[in-house]
Amino acid sequence: MRKIFIAILAVIILESIASAKLYVAEPLLVPESPYSGMTFYVYRPYNMPKNWYITLDGYPVKKNPDGMWVYGTSEGPNLVATSYVVGSIVPETAGITKWVSDAQISSIRRLPGDEFLAVKQGAYTRSQMAGNQKNSTYIPDWAFRADFMSIGNWKGTVDRIGVLDKPAVPVAWLSTRPKIIYIWTGRSWHQIEKRPSESVASSIRREYTKIQRFVRSSGFQWYEQDMPYLAQQSRKWGYYWLGEISVTK
């Protein structure tokens, strides 16, 4: 299981970029969520609001009280955290605008190595989003099923949702230390009790064969167009969107 790290930059660069002073630093690896592997860099312009950073593709992000790194949106002069976990979406498709211009971004000196923009877009690829935009009336079958959509009312039991990579089925749980993990089998939300000594990934792997059997039996299929639809739905429910989640070794 790969660990996820966020590289927060902290060495000062004494220069101006398009009239905005920036300070950027050497990477400092900080442990992050164990749900889908990725690494990315952030930096802080001198006038950035407290606790806010910017990704090297220009989007504002912060670590929220739940320990999740999420994108932010502008409300007047203020930044407000969203429920979109960094790396789970293509930001502009969710209405998230850049905090700095492309010209400013291109002026930032290249960091050591080849990871200048090393963000894994777990849920989306640009081609998937383009395909979804061409078919804006697409609604998945599961969106009409009360037994699936009922999870949107499970406040206090669920606060985040994503999709397993294999088998491709939605999965949801509460907080960073859940007691129950919910996995959609195509017919119902199967519950996995998380043992105290296990991670979320370990609990899912423990019942991996059973999950695969349930999904095959139901004939459930997950399509590329379903991913952005569920991401939008998670925002309506007020859940964190985790994107694609890999739990296999």
Side-chain angles (χ1 to χ4, degrees):
M1 183 69 185
R2 293 175 298 175
K3 293 183 179 178
I4 300 175
F5 295 96
I6 295 181
I8 300 181
L9 311 181
V11 170
I12 298 177
I13 293 179
L14 298 176
E15 59 182 82
S16 295
I17 296 178
S19 76
K21 297 178 182 178
L22 300 177
Y23 48 93
V24 185
E26 294 177 357
L28 172 64
L29 292 178
V30 179
E32 179 56 10
S33 161
Y35 307 139
S36 61
M38 66 179 176
T39 298
F40 65 96
Y41 295 102
V42 296
Y43 68 94
R44 276 181 55 85
Y46 79 100
N47 58 350
M48 198 70 183
K50 183 178 179 180
N51 298 327
W52 283 93
Y53 296 82
I54 295 177
T55 62
L56 290 188
D57 50 354
Y59 295 99
V61 297
K62 73 174 298 186
K63 194 170 187 178
N64 68 15
D66 293 330
M68 308 289 288
W69 281 86
V70 295
Y71 290 107
T73 57
S74 299
E75 291 191 4
N78 302 316
L79 281 171
V80 177
T82 71
S83 61
Y84 292 124
V85 176
V86 175
S88 68
I89 59 168
V90 175
E92 61 264 30
T93 65
I96 298 170
T97 57
K98 294 184 178 183
W99 184 264
V100 297
S101 68
D102 290 337
Q104 289 175 312
I105 295 168
S106 64
S107 299
I108 301 172
R109 66 177 59 179
R110 188 174 181 82
L111 298 169
D114 297 321
E115 296 178 312
F116 183 69
L117 292 176
V119 178
K120 175 187 177 184
Q121 299 292 355
Y124 295 101
T125 65
R126 293 186 184 275
S127 61
Q128 288 172 359
M129 288 309 306
N132 183 252
Q133 290 168 352
K134 291 177 183 177
N135 189 13
S136 59
T137 59
Y138 173 80
I139 301 177
D141 292 342
W142 48 260
F144 296 100
R145 297 188 56 165
D147 49 358
F148 180 93
M149 298 297 285
S150 64
I151 200 167
N153 297 319
W154 296 0
K155 306 294 192 298
T157 303
V158 168
D159 70 351
R160 60 203 65 197
I161 191 168
V163 178
L164 290 182
D165 59 348
K166 294 179 182 179
V169 290
V171 57
W173 63 85
L174 177 69
S175 78
T176 57
R177 296 181 179 178
K179 294 181 179 179
I180 302 293
I181 302 163
Y182 300 90
I183 296 184
W184 179 249
T185 67
R187 292 196 177 102
S188 63
W189 287 101
H190 173 63
Q191 298 183 25
I192 298 176
E193 185 174 353
K194 179 182 171 296
R195 296 168 183 170
S197 60
E198 291 179 328
S199 65
V200 170
S202 297
S203 297
I204 295 174
R205 284 198 296 266
R206 172 165 48 84
E207 297 209 7
Y208 199 70
T209 300
K210 184 186 295 185
I211 295 167
Q212 288 179 310
R213 186 171 65 249
F214 286 156
V215 175
R216 283 197 300 266
S217 175
S218 70
F220 179 77
Q221 292 191 25
W222 184 260
Y223 301 98
E224 288 185 355
Q225 299 95 323
D226 293 12
M227 192 72 84
Y229 193 94
L230 184 57
Q232 294 171 3
Q233 195 63 53
S234 71
R235 185 178 185 182
K236 293 179 182 178
W237 290 334
Y239 296 164
Y240 294 123
W241 173 242
L242 301 175
E244 185 178 84
I245 302 165
S246 176
V247 300
T248 55
K249 294 181 180 179

